[in-house]
Amino acid sequence: MNSNKNLAGKTALVTGASKGIGASIARHLAAAGASVVVNYSSSKSGAEKVVQEIVAAGGKAVAAQADVSKKADVDRLLGEARKAFGKV
């Protein structure tokens, strides 16, 4: 992982981050210092696992459910991100 904290103070919202490429992106952004919102559509357990891995490595992350094809879900997702980290 990237030990350079060039994203410190930034917040990243990663959609589809409960598994696969999205989970890897979330972990790498956290390793670079970003606070990460781990978005999932249906895999709450997968998202929580990614959050646990990030936190265990010293990073900041929260899981948030949203179907990004629905405006109301996206609005709620952004609200949760702001509540957790103050900005996106």
Side-chain angles (χ1 to χ4, degrees):
M1 294 237 178
N2 184 355
S3 62
N4 183 356
K5 300 292 183 183
N6 58 344
L7 294 180
K10 303 288 184 178
T11 300
L13 190 157
V14 183
T15 60
S18 65
K19 58 189 170 198
I21 293 170
S24 181
I25 290 169
R27 287 186 207 99
H28 280 81
L29 289 169
S35 299
V36 181
V37 178
V38 177
N39 165 249
Y40 67 96
S41 179
S42 61
S43 183
K44 181 177 183 178
S45 63
E48 289 175 345
K49 180 181 178 201
V50 173
V51 168
Q52 289 171 354
E53 291 169 354
I54 290 170
V55 171
K60 296 179 184 176
V62 296
Q65 191 283 330
D67 177 342
V68 296
S69 71
K70 298 178 180 176
K71 183 180 180 337
D73 278 18
V74 171
D75 291 342
R76 183 176 39 77
L77 177 62
L78 291 171
E80 289 181 31
R82 287 186 193 103
K83 181 178 177 183
F85 301 121
K87 60 182 177 177
V88 177

